[in-house]
Amino acid sequence: MKQYNIAAIPGDGIGVEVIAAGLEVLQALADKSETFDYTVEHFDWGSDRYKECGQFMPKDGVTQLREFDSILFGAVGAPDVADHLSLWGLRLAICQPLDQYANVRPTRILPGITSPLKGVTSNDLDWIIVRENSEGEYSGQGGRSHVGLPTEVATDVSIFTREGVSRIMHFAFQLASTRPRRKLTVVTKSNAQRHGMVMWDEIASEVSTQYPEVRWDKMLVDAMTVRMTMDPQSLDTIVATNLHADVLSDLAAALAGSIGIAPTANINPDSTVPSMFEPIHGSAFDITGKGVANPMGTFWSIVMMLEHLQQSDLAEQLMAAIEMVSADKNNHTPDLGGVATTRVVTDSVIKCLGE
Ligand code: ATP
């Protein structure tokens, strides 16, 4: 029996609801497993804490997290707190110091779910997006001068380093090589961004020589949105910068049926540092407290966590339960056009795990 320590950071809004549901499902898995057990510590970090004491998490928050095997994260953001403060105060404040440089976002149309793309089924849309998660457009470089004056100036500088780009390319080529189609699309904007993005293309080409089994192509990010909607079958693994993949993965989630289903893993492949798993969606205050948040994105994120912890049997069991539950429209929450509650979906998944 292997014992894992998991840090749970539910955060704000529906983050609290979906993490509670996720932990119930994880407990159901652990109850019947002979290889997996865990302890969980809850951290009340988020916007309420910020409003009380000016900090989303304590100064030594990252040091505390280093002791854990994995982090399960809900969402951060509140209507009365500026988005850039909450993002940089919690999510990025964890990802960047822990160097979780690969943000991995699988997208599939699950059984029973209908894509807004006419006639597109699960056979046509099965992607995995790898987002560079440590630098690029979200490196935090920049500033504002002469604030409030007509001469005010503001900069956000994109940083691309050879080391940063090389490691994400290796990660993406390696991942593509493990998928049946062995196909990678490298997304850039190297026509307009003629420095960092041109280096990105060059490094992709260099790294590709070490993965001859992977077929790869390049796309400009604007053309990529057209290809995702008009020719989804032609894509498999996708790698893009922090900003480009942020946008493309929301589009991908919507094309697969709902942002409520999509999962994310923030991976540092060095297993001495915890990786972080979270649904792709935000705190969604419009539905907070109504009990209708779709917990599937959190369940699927837990599948990714179990895979990362090398508990592949449990990961497969949970994914099978998710797919069985999604196949029945009685389990569809309002974001999928149904009337099911978070409670109903959670109970259905737990019931499937027990069968
Ligand atoms: P962010 O924190 O990224 O600014 P947000 O709180 O504005 O995000 P999003 O995650 O972008 O919300 O989601 C947009 C909308 O989609 C939400 O306002 C909500 O109506 C719906 N939504 C998001 N996640 C879920 C979910 N898990 N279940 C049901 N509906 C959801």
Side-chain angles (χ1 to χ4, degrees):
M1 179 77 78
K2 186 132 200 257
Q3 179 83 26
Y4 297 90
N5 297 322
I6 294 169
I9 310 174
D12 302 331
I14 63 167
V16 177
E17 300 166 31
V18 294
I19 292 300
L23 289 172
E24 280 187 52
V25 162
L26 191 63
Q27 188 59 51
L29 271 173
D31 284 346
K32 55 178 269 198
S33 171
E34 285 169 8
T35 59
F36 175 84
D37 199 7
Y38 72 101
T39 56
V40 64
E41 189 169 333
H42 284 84
F43 293 89
D44 65 348
W45 303 346
S47 296
D48 285 344
R49 190 179 192 283
Y50 172 75
K51 284 184 263 181
E52 271 166 42
C53 72
Q55 285 181 330
F56 290 85
M57 65 177 186
K59 280 209 174 74
D60 69 343
V62 172
T63 309
Q64 292 186 40
L65 292 175
R66 282 182 192 280
E67 304 304 315
F68 290 85
D69 295 301
S70 273
I71 305 163
L72 198 53
F73 188 87
V76 66
D80 51 353
V81 177
D83 283 343
H84 67 280
L85 294 178
S86 54
L87 184 65
W88 282 95
L90 193 57
R91 206 184 145 272
L92 291 177
I94 295 170
C95 288
Q96 292 200 343
L98 292 179
D99 207 18
Q100 296 162 341
Y101 67 81
N103 181 285
V104 184
R105 300 182 158 190
T107 309
R108 268 192 297 129
I109 301 174
L110 297 183
I113 311 279
T114 311
S115 167
L117 292 177
K118 208 165 138 200
V120 170
T121 65
S122 54
N123 293 332
D124 307 313
L125 199 162
D126 182 357
W127 305 330
I128 190 154
I129 299 180
V130 177
R131 167 182 172 188
E132 202 296 314
N133 208 30
S134 66
E135 52 174 39
E137 305 87 346
Y138 300 172
S139 61
Q141 293 273 338
R144 287 174 74 171
S145 313
H146 315 304
V147 176
L149 298 177
T151 51
E152 181 168 357
V153 56
T155 58
D156 275 294
V157 182
S158 297
I159 303 283
F160 296 99
T161 65
R162 178 162 280 279
E163 187 185 356
V165 179
S166 299
R167 67 185 184 176
I168 201 67
M169 284 301 165
H170 276 288
F171 189 96
F173 272 97
Q174 169 65 34
L175 181 61
S177 75
T178 64
R179 295 193 22 110
R181 292 170 71 196
R182 297 197 190 134
K183 195 165 186 307
L184 178 68
T185 298
V186 176
V187 178
T188 67
K189 188 61 186 166
S190 50
N191 55 348
Q193 293 175 294
R194 60 197 172 137
H195 307 295
M197 290 281 74
V198 171
M199 186 179 79
W200 177 275
D201 278 349
E202 286 170 9
I203 292 174
S205 191
E206 286 164 27
V207 170
S208 73
T209 61
Q210 296 179 43
Y211 303 87
E213 70 281 21
V214 175
R215 283 179 300 138
W216 72 286
D217 58 7
K218 282 191 296 189
M219 287 298 291
L220 296 178
V221 66
D222 43 352
M224 185 66 174
T225 59
V226 178
R227 186 166 163 191
M228 286 167 72
T229 46
M230 304 301 283
D231 194 12
Q233 303 86 342
S234 70
L235 295 163
D236 187 80
T237 310
I238 297 159
V239 61
T241 69
N242 218 329
L243 170 64
H244 293 164
D246 190 5
V247 177
L248 293 180
S249 54
D250 263 30
L251 172 62
L255 296 179
S258 167
I259 197 169
I261 298 172
T264 306
N266 300 282
I267 303 279
N268 181 335
D270 176 355
S271 56
T272 61
V273 179
S275 291
M276 182 161 84
F277 303 83
E278 55 173 335
I280 196 174
H281 63 76
S283 45
F285 270 80
D286 54 331
I287 56 165
T288 297
K290 297 186 175 156
V292 294
N294 191 340
M296 290 296 214
T298 300
F299 298 163
W300 195 345
S301 302
I302 291 174
V303 170
M304 298 184 84
M305 181 178 86
L306 292 166
E307 282 165 356
H308 187 71
L309 295 175
Q310 298 183 330
Q311 291 284 336
S312 48
D313 279 359
L314 290 188
E316 275 171 31
Q317 282 175 44
L318 179 52
M319 199 65 223
I322 290 171
E323 295 192 7
M324 217 179 286
V325 166
S326 74
D328 180 352
K329 290 202 174 358
N330 290 322
N331 292 315
H332 288 190
T333 41
D335 54 307
L336 293 169
V339 293
T341 58
T342 313
R343 184 72 268 151
V344 164
V345 183
T346 308
D347 287 345
S348 299
V349 169
I350 290 172
K351 184 160 176 272
C352 273
L353 289 172
E355 281 167 2

